[in-house]
Amino acid sequence: TDPDFRIRALNTYLYRHFGMAYDHSDPYVKNISNRYITGLLDTKKGSCVSMPLLYLAVAQRLGYPIYPVCAPQHIFLRYVDSALKQKNIEATGGGGYSPDEEYIASLQVSFPALAKGTYLRTLSYREYLGLLIEQNGIYWGQRGHPDKAIDYLEMAVNLSPRSADTIRSLGVAYQKKVSQPMITRHRNT
């Protein structure tokens, strides 16, 4: 029942036995397999999108109170238990602990973003689903299908309305749609 032991056991299994590792060759997650859990399961390499998802899926199955947390262009996890001092779990860092102050400094999180709960707030699973759906919107946007991207991103914003990154992605998709030549726009709709 000890939260620290649970985290260490999960880390041992996922990182040592299974071999999950961050793909350092793809820091901007351009490789599509790093965005989705299927790619992580195939290659054992992932990103801050896919790695927390696998970690969370296993933790949920075990009944552990682990939830996602969003930082600027980054997702990590948090073990919610008042008895645990070091709650943040960095899935891309072998499951190690990173304090909020480290995220605030390294990712330049502003005080207003903290105060409004835009970043470093423990998310619900519904909000996290929005962040995962955002990846589909990004995928279609990068492939020149802004209408499909907008559909996914609007769904993502509805699920996670405080996600600044998702709202920004939706704005980019609308901008791409408006800047598309008229012939291409009519063909896609």
Side-chain angles (χ1 to χ4, degrees), residues 18 20-21 23 31-47 50-51 53-54:
F18 176 70
M20 180 169 76
D23 187 351
N31 181 350
I32 194 72
S33 71
N34 286 334
R35 288 181 187 250
Y36 297 100
I37 197 167
T38 53
L40 175 60
L41 292 173
D42 288 344
T43 66
K44 298 185 181 180
K45 298 261 186 203
S47 69
S50 59
M51 294 174 75
L53 178 58
L54 179 59

Side-chain angles (χ1 to χ4, degrees), residues 174-189:
Y174 274 117
Q175 188 177 27
K176 284 185 177 183
K177 180 178 178 168
V178 170
S179 65
Q180 255 189 351
M182 200 61 135
I183 294 170
T184 308
R185 262 194 277 168
H186 288 299
R187 193 172 7 146
N188 286 339
T189 55

Side-chain angles (χ1 to χ4, degrees), residues 39-103:
L40 175 60
L41 292 173
D42 288 344
T43 66
K44 298 185 181 180
K45 298 261 186 203
S47 69
C48 72
V49 177
S50 59
M51 294 174 75
L53 178 58
L54 179 59
Y55 200 107
L56 183 61
V58 174
Q60 253 188 335
R61 183 75 176 178
L62 295 169
Y64 299 167
I66 294 178
Y67 293 87
V69 180
C70 186
Q73 298 183 1
H74 187 63
I75 300 168
F76 63 97
L77 301 166
R78 182 171 290 148
Y79 194 108
V80 179
D81 186 323
S82 59
L84 188 64
K85 286 184 181 180
Q86 300 176 340
K87 298 176 188 293
N88 296 339
I89 303 166
E90 183 50 61
T92 61
Y97 168 73
S98 292
D100 283 354
E101 294 75 24
E102 188 175 309
Y103 292 110

